[in-house]
mmCIF file of all heavy atoms in Angstrom:
data_model
loop_
_atom_site.group_PDB
_atom_site.id
_atom_site.type_symbol
_atom_site.label_atom_id
_atom_site.label_comp_id
_atom_site.label_asym_id
_atom_site.label_seq_id
_atom_site.Cartn_x
_atom_site.Cartn_y
_atom_site.Cartn_z
ATOM 1 N N THR A 287 94.072 29.240 20.860
ATOM 2 C CA THR A 287 94.036 30.541 20.218
ATOM 3 C C THR A 287 93.147 31.507 20.988
ATOM 4 O O THR A 287 93.465 32.679 21.165
ATOM 5 C CB THR A 287 93.525 30.404 18.773
ATOM 6 O OG1 THR A 287 94.294 29.422 18.111
ATOM 7 C CG2 THR A 287 93.597 31.727 18.044
ATOM 8 N N LEU A 288 92.010 31.022 21.465
ATOM 9 C CA LEU A 288 91.111 31.856 22.254
ATOM 10 C C LEU A 288 91.713 32.202 23.605
ATOM 11 O O LEU A 288 91.493 33.293 24.138
ATOM 12 C CB LEU A 288 89.772 31.143 22.448
ATOM 13 C CG LEU A 288 88.905 31.004 21.203
ATOM 14 C CD1 LEU A 288 87.787 30.006 21.453
ATOM 15 C CD2 LEU A 288 88.332 32.348 20.798
ATOM 16 N N GLU A 289 92.446 31.299 24.162
ATOM 17 C CA GLU A 289 93.040 31.520 25.479
ATOM 18 C C GLU A 289 94.036 32.683 25.467
ATOM 19 O O GLU A 289 94.362 33.238 26.518
ATOM 20 C CB GLU A 289 93.712 30.239 25.970
ATOM 21 C CG GLU A 289 92.718 29.130 26.290
ATOM 22 C CD GLU A 289 93.391 27.820 26.630
ATOM 23 O OE1 GLU A 289 94.581 27.653 26.288
ATOM 24 O OE2 GLU A 289 92.717 26.955 27.226
ATOM 25 N N ALA A 290 94.526 33.024 24.275
ATOM 26 C CA ALA A 290 95.454 34.152 24.157
ATOM 27 C C ALA A 290 94.768 35.502 24.248
ATOM 28 O O ALA A 290 95.431 36.533 24.358
ATOM 29 C CB ALA A 290 96.205 34.055 22.831
ATOM 30 N N LEU A 291 93.440 35.509 24.214
ATOM 31 C CA LEU A 291 92.706 36.776 24.222
ATOM 32 C C LEU A 291 92.447 37.250 25.641
ATOM 33 O O LEU A 291 92.357 36.462 26.578
ATOM 34 C CB LEU A 291 91.375 36.607 23.487
ATOM 35 C CG LEU A 291 91.459 36.137 22.037
ATOM 36 C CD1 LEU A 291 90.060 35.964 21.478
ATOM 37 C CD2 LEU A 291 92.262 37.094 21.189
ATOM 38 N N SER A 292 92.280 38.555 25.785
ATOM 39 C CA SER A 292 91.958 39.134 27.087
ATOM 40 C C SER A 292 90.565 38.690 27.523
ATOM 41 O O SER A 292 89.607 38.746 26.730
ATOM 42 C CB SER A 292 91.999 40.657 27.002
ATOM 43 O OG SER A 292 91.412 41.232 28.158
ATOM 44 N N PRO A 293 90.390 38.293 28.764
ATOM 45 C CA PRO A 293 89.055 37.896 29.242
ATOM 46 C C PRO A 293 88.106 39.081 29.404
ATOM 47 O O PRO A 293 86.913 38.875 29.670
ATOM 48 C CB PRO A 293 89.352 37.252 30.597
ATOM 49 C CG PRO A 293 90.624 37.886 31.046
ATOM 50 C CD PRO A 293 91.425 38.128 29.802
ATOM 51 N N ASP A 294 88.626 40.312 29.229
ATOM 52 C CA ASP A 294 87.794 41.496 29.450
ATOM 53 C C ASP A 294 87.182 42.070 28.182
ATOM 54 O O ASP A 294 86.554 43.132 28.238
ATOM 55 C CB ASP A 294 88.636 42.586 30.123
ATOM 56 C CG ASP A 294 89.146 42.146 31.482
ATOM 57 O OD1 ASP A 294 88.404 41.432 32.179
ATOM 58 O OD2 ASP A 294 90.288 42.499 31.831
ATOM 59 N N ILE A 295 87.358 41.421 27.043
ATOM 60 C CA ILE A 295 86.796 41.975 25.812
ATOM 61 C C ILE A 295 85.280 42.040 25.907
ATOM 62 O O ILE A 295 84.632 41.214 26.566
ATOM 63 C CB ILE A 295 87.218 41.160 24.574
ATOM 64 C CG1 ILE A 295 86.722 39.709 24.677
ATOM 65 C CG2 ILE A 295 88.709 41.211 24.368
ATOM 66 C CD1 ILE A 295 86.964 38.898 23.430
ATOM 67 N N THR A 296 84.691 43.025 25.271
ATOM 68 C CA THR A 296 83.234 43.203 25.305
ATOM 69 C C THR A 296 82.577 42.897 23.967
ATOM 70 O O THR A 296 81.367 42.685 23.919
ATOM 71 C CB THR A 296 82.879 44.640 25.722
ATOM 72 O OG1 THR A 296 83.445 45.543 24.786
ATOM 73 C CG2 THR A 296 83.378 44.926 27.126
ATOM 74 N N GLU A 297 83.362 42.904 22.869
ATOM 75 C CA GLU A 297 82.808 42.606 21.549
ATOM 76 C C GLU A 297 83.730 41.613 20.855
ATOM 77 O O GLU A 297 84.945 41.801 20.826
ATOM 78 C CB GLU A 297 82.675 43.870 20.705
ATOM 79 C CG GLU A 297 81.732 44.903 21.299
ATOM 80 C CD GLU A 297 81.623 46.132 20.418
ATOM 81 O OE1 GLU A 297 81.662 45.976 19.180
ATOM 82 O OE2 GLU A 297 81.514 47.241 20.969
ATOM 83 N N LEU A 298 83.118 40.588 20.300
ATOM 84 C CA LEU A 298 83.907 39.545 19.648
ATOM 85 C C LEU A 298 83.273 39.180 18.318
ATOM 86 O O LEU A 298 82.074 38.889 18.253
ATOM 87 C CB LEU A 298 83.975 38.312 20.542
ATOM 88 C CG LEU A 298 84.774 37.110 20.041
ATOM 89 C CD1 LEU A 298 86.238 37.486 19.797
ATOM 90 C CD2 LEU A 298 84.666 35.945 21.007
ATOM 91 N N VAL A 299 84.076 39.234 17.258
ATOM 92 C CA VAL A 299 83.644 38.839 15.920
ATOM 93 C C VAL A 299 84.454 37.619 15.516
ATOM 94 O O VAL A 299 85.681 37.656 15.549
ATOM 95 C CB VAL A 299 83.837 39.972 14.896
ATOM 96 C CG1 VAL A 299 83.372 39.516 13.508
ATOM 97 C CG2 VAL A 299 83.079 41.220 15.331
#
Side-chain angles (χ1 to χ4, degrees):
T287 307
L288 290 166
E289 292 174 341
L291 302 178
S292 167
D294 298 324
I295 61 173
T296 60
E297 298 181 36
L298 181 60
V299 180

